[in-house]
Amino acid sequence: TQLLEQSPQFLSIQEGENLTVYCNSSSVFSSLQWYRQEPGEGPVLLVTVVTGGEVKKLKRLTFQFGDARKDSSLHITAAQPGDTGLYLCADVGGSQGNLIFGKGTKLSVKP
Amino acid sequence: KAGVTQTPRYLIKTRGQQVTLSCSPISGHRSVSWYQQTPGQGLQFLFEYFSETQRNKGNFPGRFSGRQFSNSRSEMNVSTLELGDSALYLCASSLMSGSSNEQFFGPGTRLTVL
C-alpha cells in the first residue's frame, strides 16, 4: 500500500517569509497533485505534475517533482495570510481509480 | 457555473443511529467520489459512482454505502454509527470516472457522533 508522508505537519510563519513543504512517497507516483484546503472548504487543486524533474510555477508558488518521481516540494515566496490552509499532496494512481492523499501540512501565515 | 454542493453542512448523531448525506455534482459531471477526512487518517477514499453504478470502493466496512441517481446526484449512508465515524465527509465530482480526471470537491459535511 502506497504511503505519502508530508512534512512538516504544522508550520506557523510571519507574512513575507518563504517556506517549503515536502511530500514523499513509498513508491513511484503515477502523477502528483497538490491541493490547498481552507477551513470549512473542500480541497482545491493547485497543480498536477507528471514528469520527473518537472518544475511548475503558480504566481508565488513553485512546485518541484523529484527526478525519481518519489518526492515533491512546494515552495511559497513571500507568504501572505491568504496562503493559510492545509496543503495536501495526492497520487492520481490509486488502485481503485482513486486519489491517495498525504495527511497534509497545516500552514498558518500571521500578518 | 455552480460548484459541488453538499447537504447538510453539519450533523450531530448518536451512536447506533444512521445518517444520509447528499452531494450534488457540478452540472454535466457524471462521476461522484466520496472521501472521509479525519485528523488521524487524513483523506481516505470511500467509493466512486459513475452513471448510477459503483465503480470503485475503498477499504471501509459495509456500514458505509452509497448510491447515485439518474441526475448524477449522490447520497451516502452510514448505518449503526460509531464514535470513530466522526469526520468531515467530502464528495468530489468529475466529468468522467477515474482519478486522472480533475476532481472538484464540495465543502463537506461535518458529522459528529456522540
Side-chain angles (χ1 to χ4, degrees):
Chain A
T1 306
Q2 182 183 23
L3 292 175
L4 302 190
E5 289 199 18
Q6 292 191 244
S7 60
Q9 265 190 289
F10 303 96
L11 193 53
S12 181
I13 61 172
Q14 294 295 128
E15 182 176 1
E17 292 183 15
N18 300 333
L19 66 114
T20 303
V21 298
Y22 301 91
C23 175
N24 291 283
S25 173
S26 57
S27 54
V28 173
F29 285 103
S30 297
S31 60
L32 172 74
Q33 295 181 332
W34 283 95
Y35 290 80
R36 177 169 65 218
Q37 183 177 19
E38 298 182 17
E41 300 296 329
V44 174
L45 179 65
L46 296 173
V47 76
T48 301
V49 286
V50 179
T51 306
E54 187 173 1
V55 177
K56 282 193 173 179
K57 293 193 175 184
L58 184 67
K59 296 183 182 177
R60 294 175 293 101
L61 278 59
T62 301
F63 304 86
Q64 286 194 294
F65 201 16
D67 291 339
R69 294 171 58 229
K70 292 185 72 176
D71 60 275
S72 180
S73 64
L74 159 57
H75 181 80
I76 301 179
T77 304
Q80 299 176 359
D83 296 325
T84 292
L86 179 68
Y87 287 81
L88 296 157
C89 64
D91 187 4
V92 173
S95 60
Q96 290 115 350
N98 56 297
L99 294 169
I100 299 172
F101 284 90
K103 293 184 183 178
T105 292
K106 192 167 184 178
L107 172 65
S108 174
V109 182
K110 300 184 188 321
Chain B
K1 179 152 99 165
V4 179
T5 58
Q6 292 188 244
T7 56
R9 292 293 309 274
Y10 303 91
L11 208 45
I12 299 175
K13 293 284 187 180
T14 56
R15 279 181 299 174
Q17 288 187 307
Q18 75 163 20
V19 68
T20 299
L21 312 181
S22 181
C23 172
S24 292
I26 291 171
S27 178
H29 284 193
R30 294 166 61 195
S31 170
V32 174
S33 297
W34 288 89
Y35 291 83
Q36 181 196 67
Q37 185 175 27
T38 60
Q41 299 298 320
L43 275 102
Q44 294 187 289
F45 173 70
L46 281 156
F47 29 65
E48 180 202 4
Y49 285 86
F50 179 77
S51 294
E52 302 178 67
T53 302
Q54 187 180 88
R55 281 296 184 96
N56 299 292
K57 189 175 190 307
N59 192 23
F60 278 81
R63 301 185 296 107
F64 292 81
S65 62
R67 58 178 175 167
Q68 187 180 34
F69 302 94
S70 58
N71 61 358
S72 295
R73 189 177 70 86
S74 178
E75 290 181 347
M76 68 163 280
N77 184 275
V78 189
S79 62
T80 320
L81 284 166
E82 301 176 359
L83 295 178
D85 297 333
S86 294
L88 181 68
Y89 290 88
L90 293 159
C91 79
S93 77
S94 60
L95 277 170
M96 300 296 290
S97 177
S99 55
S100 60
N101 296 281
E102 183 175 356
Q103 299 196 19
F104 296 83
F105 284 83
T109 294
R110 172 78 59 187
L111 172 64
T112 301
V113 182
L114 303 176

